[in-house]
Amino acid sequence: MEWIKETAGLAVITFLFSLFTWVLTASYIEEYNLFSAEPVTVTTVDKIAAKGLYTPPAYYVRVELPNGEESTYLNRISKSEEKAIQVGDSINGYSLRPSDFSTIHDFTFDSSLFLFGIAVFGFLAFCCLIALLLSIPVLDALEKKISYKRQKKRQQKRRKKEKQKKERKGWRIVAVVLLVFLIFIGRFLLNLARKLLPFGKTDTDALILDRDSHVTYRKYEDSSYELTVSFEDHAGRTFQVIKDVTGQTYQQYGIGDKLQIAYRNVNPYDLFVRGNSFLDIFEAVMTWESLVCLIMLAVTLFAGWVFIKERRKK
């Protein structure tokens, strides 16, 4: 009777995770159906970058759609494509309808949440399915028999203490978690280092072409403020960037005003606002992206300190 209850419970959990996986997969195929998308070539009419408060710039182009109209939205491209493509050049992508165009980077970034959910729920469904199969008496007995033989061989080869194995296993888990943390905070730290370095940058004034904001009830954590600016580098080339700024900076400038910036000489799209006040720094620190990165950084440094301390003891 107990076996029936456990099997029924595993079957229900497996069904639910499988259902979630199927729903996400169906939604993904409906929303980002590459199978029905037709390869098309369009013309680039503008290049622009988006620079966040904490991350390096992302690169976009505006194109002429397959129906002959100019697109009102931006299409993401890679950094290497940005260097190779000029206004008027052709760019390859996919179209689901005449009034639509997407690059492969659009599909990748826009559908990342779908792919993450499909991977997580699919993995959980697979694990539950394996557990469900192993709960069947015949397969359970076979698995125990194989497991017993493996365990017996491992015991014969075991030469180190169990405590050392547990410690190493624990540090491996910690290392995986820290690696995930470093992936998230790496771009944050890189952007911070580039902002603080006093060399390799040029100061100039940028013309504000447009303003856009999204203010939520949590003013600092979730609100976003953007200024679209245009400027010339030292070689006379014109660059256009959508720059994330703090609310304090956003309120001080209007369309047509000049914004003091500093851009990196090796990549003018990577720019920073000059003359930040204490309130600007406070608002930047109080955003949820900054707080998450700071917490991850603190955990990483603490774990590294503990690991070095343990190594010194040994």
Side-chain angles (χ1 to χ4, degrees), residues 3 16 34 68 73 87 119 123 129 131 133 140 142 146 154 167 171 190-191 239 245 265 288 310-311:
W3 170 79
L16 290 176
L34 283 174
Y73 54 89
V87 174
F123 176 75
L129 178 61
L133 293 176
D140 183 44
L142 179 61
I146 297 174
R154 288 174 183 172
E167 287 180 355
W171 278 113
L190 178 63
N191 182 75
F239 294 86
V245 296
N265 297 331
W288 70 268
E310 291 292 328
R311 294 290 294 180

Side-chain angles (χ1 to χ4, degrees), residues 265-309:
N265 297 331
V266 295
N267 184 7
Y269 284 115
D270 198 0
L271 61 86
F272 307 92
V273 177
R274 292 190 291 137
N276 297 122
S277 64
F278 174 79
L279 188 55
D280 287 316
I281 298 174
F282 174 78
E283 289 187 16
V285 171
M286 289 305 296
T287 58
W288 70 268
E289 298 99 327
S290 175
L291 293 175
V292 169
C293 288
L294 290 175
I295 291 173
M296 288 183 175
L297 180 60
V299 172
T300 303
L301 294 175
F302 177 76
W305 175 76
V306 173
F307 177 76
I308 294 174
K309 189 176 181 181

Side-chain angles (χ1 to χ4, degrees), residues 245-258:
V245 296
T246 63
Q248 172 71 10
T249 299
Y250 183 83
Q251 298 300 332
Q252 294 178 359
Y253 296 92
I255 296 176
D257 291 343
K258 293 293 185 67

Side-chain angles (χ1 to χ4, degrees), residues 45-63:
V45 297
D46 198 7
K47 289 171 54 177
I48 192 169
K51 178 67 171 63
L53 281 173
Y54 315 102
T55 55
Y59 305 96
Y60 299 88
V61 292
R62 184 174 278 110
V63 301

Side-chain angles (χ1 to χ4, degrees), residues 141-202:
L142 179 61
E143 191 273 335
K144 286 182 178 179
K145 185 177 180 180
I146 297 174
S147 178
Y148 173 77
K149 291 181 179 180
R150 289 178 178 173
Q151 187 176 3
K152 190 174 181 181
K153 291 181 179 179
R154 288 174 183 172
Q155 288 176 352
Q156 293 174 353
K157 297 179 180 180
R158 189 175 299 165
R159 299 182 183 276
K160 295 185 179 180
K161 296 180 180 180
E162 193 69 24
K163 183 178 178 180
Q164 293 177 338
K165 285 191 174 183
K166 289 182 179 179
E167 287 180 355
R168 265 184 298 194
K169 185 178 180 180
W171 278 113
R172 286 171 187 165
I173 297 174
V174 171
V176 172
V177 174
L178 295 183
L179 179 61
V180 175
F181 281 8
L182 288 174
I183 293 175
F184 278 97
I185 65 178
R187 288 162 58 85
F188 173 83
L189 295 176
L190 178 63
N191 182 75
L192 180 62
R194 288 173 173 174
K195 180 177 178 63
L196 296 178
L197 286 176
F199 52 85
K201 293 182 290 188
T202 300

